[in-house]
Amino acid sequence: MPINKITQPFALIIFGASGDLAKLKLFPALYSLAQQNRLPKQYYIVGYARSEKTSKQFEAEFISSIKKVHKVDEKVLNDLLKHLSYVQGQYDKKEDFVRLKTYLKTLTKKTNITKLAYFSVPPIAFKSIIQNLGETKNSSNEDLRLILEKPFGEDTKSAEELFHFVARYFDDDNIYLLDHYLGKPAVKSILSLRHANRILNLMMKGPEIANIQITAFEQVGVQSRAGYFDQVGTIKDMVQSHLLQILALIYLLRLNRLYFLPDKSVPAIEIFSLKYIYFLKN
Ligand SMILES: NC(=O)c1ccc[n+]([C@@H]2O[C@H](COP(=O)([O-])OP(=O)(O)OC[C@H]3O[C@@H](n4cnc5c(N)ncnc54)[C@H](OP(=O)(O)O)[C@@H]3O)[C@@H](O)[C@H]2O)c1
């Protein structure tokens, strides 16, 4: 069995399936999973967006975005397409979510499988989707999980407001906050460096290193995302999430007294690292 094969059946509902993130990242990532034989026997990929399009048109977009990234094995792709469908609907209309729910019930043959709602929409649409999903949820037994792409609000106040809003409908355990930048191999390898390379590990804690520079090297331009960058801004898009996360990960390599922290999870250590940097600066 391939490493990390998903064995549990699931239905992935991609809100904003007509958008940039879906085409640039999510569809090619789904193909990668299929190609590596990491998907279970029973799964469904449901694109949801306001744009009027037929399932065939959606399928054509899905294929074209995958082909831009991957050299495609037609058999793998054709098999993946059997699991794909499209539902057109608004984000702020409860009746559209009732229709989506009925559709999912028929599709999944009434089995209570895990449903993953992926928020590939601008943050302005988050609350409507959360509320409509929450209000049309069957019961507390329904396994419905939310995957929210960063940014989570625009500042501390709006982020807290958003978290309180989600908490009205969903338990913390069912909410996944995702910053896909952290899935990049170069970023992922920062943590393993601490454990895998003893020499570097020791040096990181000592006085040998005068400064550490983090370079954000982007080849992709603004493209069709002018609206997003106009609203969010490049500093908030890159610095407050991606680069601060990397800074925290790198800085925690320099800390060697973590044993006193009650919570040793990576997010808790990252927060500690950032507070510690602030403390040193002041
Ligand atoms: N693109 C990236 O590389 C990237 C990187 C990091 C994080 N993100 C995050 O990922 C999410 C999606 O990004 P994206 O670039 O895919 O966004 P996008 O292309 O601007 O929007 C995705 C879809 O959402 C719908 N939409 C657009 N504006 C809307 C509005 N004002 N109200 C309601 N729906 C709207 C549109 O679909 P319909 O009109 O068909 O419904 C659109 O196709 C955002 O939270 C973004 O911050 C994106």
Side-chain angles (χ1 to χ4, degrees), residues 18-21 49-51 91 120-122 150-151 180 225 228:
S18 55
D20 186 76
L21 183 78
R50 299 174 304 181
S51 305
Y91 305 118
S120 187
V121 285
K150 69 95 204 165
H180 64 246
R225 298 174 295 164
Y228 167 70

Side-chain angles (χ1 to χ4, degrees), residues 173-212:
D173 287 352
N174 292 327
I175 302 162
Y176 298 80
L177 302 178
L178 200 122
D179 180 348
H180 64 246
Y181 203 83
L182 300 181
K184 287 183 187 283
V187 179
K188 273 164 78 179
S189 64
I190 295 172
L191 264 187
S192 50
L193 269 182
R194 181 182 169 91
H195 301 287
N197 188 328
R198 281 177 61 83
I199 297 172
L200 197 58
N201 185 13
L202 287 171
M203 275 172 58
M204 285 297 283
K205 291 175 197 156
E208 292 86 353
I209 294 179
N211 71 68
I212 299 169

Side-chain angles (χ1 to χ4, degrees), residues 126-144:
F126 279 17
K127 278 191 177 175
S128 308
I129 301 176
I130 292 165
Q131 182 171 355
N132 282 321
L133 283 175
E135 288 180 358
T136 54
K137 203 156 67 114
N138 269 345
S139 62
S140 52
N141 289 341
E142 186 171 359
D143 187 4
L144 173 58

